[in-house]
Amino acid sequence: WTLRAYQAMMSGCIPVIIADEIEFPYEHTMDWTELTVKIPEVDHLKTYDILKAIPEEEVRRKQDAIAKVWRQVAWESPTKPGDAFHAVLRELGRKKRAFKASSLTFWN
């Protein structure tokens, strides 16, 4: 995942992903199928034709979806609610353990 996709979103553009095996950031809070176009690597030479075939209605729908979430990938200074800093904190909070490891914590 690169900064270019974030920059595209911040500009109101739809990121085009040409990568078969990719893990998207914030997968639990962002539906990347609504925000991007993902093209199989084997079809990379058909990119122009694939993009030209996307209906204008779908393009508009993806742009509208991007307009709602792009701030989650933008780093503000100072930070603001809903920006990338807070998105990262949400992801970290989601990943924290339910039980803290401790020599004083036991269960059967």
Side-chain angles (χ1 to χ4, degrees):
W1 196 246
T2 70
L3 180 62
R4 289 186 299 268
Y6 297 151
Q7 290 171 329
M9 290 173 66
M10 287 184 265
S11 300
C13 297
I14 301 168
V16 176
I17 312 299
I18 303 174
D20 294 345
E21 302 295 325
I22 186 169
E23 288 185 38
F24 292 98
Y26 316 115
E27 286 183 333
H28 292 87
T29 57
M30 296 173 117
D31 182 353
W32 291 97
T33 64
E34 297 292 323
L35 305 170
T36 63
V37 172
K38 188 169 184 263
I39 298 172
E41 291 174 5
V42 70
D43 292 336
H44 73 281
L45 295 177
K46 301 175 189 172
T47 299
Y48 179 80
D49 294 330
I50 292 168
L51 296 178
K52 289 287 286 181
I54 297 172
E56 184 62 34
E57 176 183 305
E58 185 176 344
V59 170
R60 180 66 51 208
R61 194 169 44 251
K62 287 182 183 292
Q63 288 173 325
D64 291 345
I66 288 168
K68 294 175 185 172
V69 300
W70 72 267
R71 285 175 183 80
Q72 292 182 48
V73 299
W75 291 87
E76 303 275 348
S77 181
T79 64
K80 297 177 183 169
D83 68 4
F85 175 77
H86 291 91
V88 168
L89 289 181
R90 274 194 314 276
E91 282 292 303
L92 291 174
R94 190 186 62 73
K95 292 182 178 192
K96 76 177 183 181
R97 292 196 228 184
F99 296 100
K100 298 206 186 293
S102 167
S103 61
L104 302 176
T105 304
F106 302 94
W107 56 88
N108 294 347

